Amino acid sequence: MPYQIVTDSSATLPLDLIKEFNLTILPLSYMDVATGIQTPIDVFDENFDLVAFYNNMRNDVVYTTSLPNLADSREALLKHLEAGNDLLYIGFDSAISGTCESTSALMDQLAEEYPDRKLIHIDTYAAAGGEGLLVYYACRMKQKGSSLEEVAAWVQDNIHKVDHWFTVEDLKYLLRGGRVSKTSATVGTLLNIKPVLTVNPEGVLTPIEKVRGRKKSLQALVDHFGETHAEIDDDFVCAIEHADCLEDAQWVADKIADKYGVKNFMIELLDPVVGAHTGPGLVVVCYPCKPRA
């Protein structure tokens, strides 16, 4: 039975791969708090200016985010069901967003309407490049002829074999989102302290250490990669997302390539839904890792 892989715009995959895989992307949205203007994230819009989005944040524009529109999601999924396709949804970390929960509930409703179709939904407990890597490898398996059940089983087995490490440039965005206290943000800013964070196996953003200075925080991403990466072979891909700081992202990629021999990178601008909560200057490194407890 043919099947369609579905994910969210938060997966931050390159547009050429989205087209190659014929992925269905459910768009999350962001809203300018001052104007009330809400913008769905159209990953196919090559004219969308993500740099301007982050510059707006630097100029104190405040954004909030929202889940995919369920009516639009239903229409997108129905198109595939009516064409005779089964569905595999690989979703955005439920500890960060309600996207996966709401989309999974929608798929359960559709499964009752289409009892002859198979609909599988998976919470990745991952975001950005972590979610994107699981989707990437799933699509590669599909290209090679793996069944929906085989791909779904692989994703489930590998949810805790993808790691995320990231650091931010400005603590005010983590303060706004309640990730750090006002005292920590104030003192950290004065002392040029940069947090290094990860996503734990339950999908929760977790501070691990604090270092002084931007270069040390970027080096920490490289060091953590070295401590936890899985075997590096021709299929190994490292995803690096950045919130309008390409030079820093490339520096991290170059260090990982030189020290560990990684050849395949996906370096992308971070999508607005994650970026709205972390601010410009974030760098996140995602990669296949040793199993996490």
Side-chain angles (χ1 to χ4, degrees):
M1 179 72 72
Y3 64 97
Q4 178 70 22
I5 295 179
V6 181
T7 191
D8 318 296
S9 56
S10 55
T12 316
L13 285 165
L15 180 58
D16 60 338
L17 286 180
I18 291 172
K19 291 179 177 179
E20 176 188 339
F21 296 144
N22 191 30
L23 273 168
T24 294
I25 306 290
L26 304 181
L28 283 75
S29 301
Y30 64 91
M31 183 180 75
D32 182 330
V33 171
T35 65
I37 296 174
Q38 184 161 308
T39 305
I41 300 165
D42 182 358
V43 299
F44 296 100
D45 181 3
E46 299 184 41
N47 295 318
F48 177 67
D49 191 349
L50 259 176
V51 173
F53 172 85
Y54 287 114
N55 279 333
N56 288 342
M57 293 191 73
R58 291 185 179 100
N59 292 321
D60 294 324
V61 174
V62 177
Y63 292 106
T64 60
T65 59
S66 60
L67 311 181
N69 180 289
L70 284 181
D72 292 342
S73 295
R74 178 182 171 86
E75 182 179 349
L77 299 179
L78 276 174
K79 178 181 71 173
H80 297 297
L81 292 171
E82 291 173 353
N85 293 314
D86 293 337
L87 294 174
L88 172 59
Y89 167 65
I90 303 173
F92 184 20
D93 183 359
S94 62
I96 297 175
S97 169
T99 300
C100 186
E101 182 179 4
S102 62
T103 305
S104 297
L106 171 61
M107 289 186 70
D108 288 341
Q109 294 173 7
L110 290 170
E112 294 180 1
E113 298 175 30
Y114 291 81
D116 295 331
R117 299 280 179 269
K118 183 165 291 186
L119 293 84
I120 299 177
H121 46 79
I122 299 175
D123 184 347
T124 63
Y125 300 101
E131 178 187 3
L133 281 176
L134 290 167
V135 175
Y136 168 82
Y137 285 116
C139 289
R140 287 292 186 220
M141 289 182 68
K142 181 185 177 187
Q143 282 185 328
K144 294 176 181 178
S146 296
S147 68
L148 181 150
E149 292 84 358
E150 290 169 333
V151 174
W154 183 91
V155 174
Q156 289 283 14
D157 288 344
N158 284 272
I159 285 171
H160 298 313
K161 297 177 186 176
V162 173
D163 221 343
H164 313 60
W165 289 95
F166 63 99
T167 189
V168 298
E169 177 65 24
D170 194 327
L171 290 168
K172 73 179 181 181
Y173 302 103
L174 294 182
L175 170 63
R176 186 180 295 160
R179 302 295 179 184
V180 298
S181 69
K182 185 174 183 180
T183 299
S184 295
T186 301
V187 172
T189 300
L190 289 172
L191 298 178
N192 196 25
I193 298 297
K194 306 298 181 185
V196 178
L197 306 94
T198 190
V199 177
N200 73 15
E202 289 73 44
V204 178
L205 302 184
T206 306
I208 298 297
E209 62 180 312
K210 300 174 183 177
V211 297
R212 182 169 289 184
R214 176 67 162 178
K215 264 305 188 269
K216 287 184 178 179
S217 70
L218 297 175
Q219 182 61 51
L221 304 183
V222 178
D223 294 342
H224 285 295
F225 174 92
E227 295 163 356
T228 61
H229 68 77
E231 179 182 356
I232 296 172
D233 56 21
D234 291 341
D235 292 327
F236 188 99
V237 178
C238 179
I240 301 179
E241 282 77 42
H242 65 94
D244 193 27
C245 50
L246 176 58
E247 184 176 334
D248 289 341
Q250 190 63 58
W251 185 91
V252 172
D254 290 344
K255 290 291 183 182
I256 290 174
D258 291 344
K259 189 168 184 178
Y260 302 106
V262 175
K263 297 178 181 178
N264 303 314
F265 290 91
M266 291 191 293
I267 302 177
E268 292 293 311
L269 271 163
L270 185 68
D271 92 286
V273 165
V274 177
H277 298 285
T278 59
L282 175 134
V283 177
V284 55
V285 180
C286 304
Y287 52 91
C289 68
K290 302 166 187 174
R292 296 182 291 158

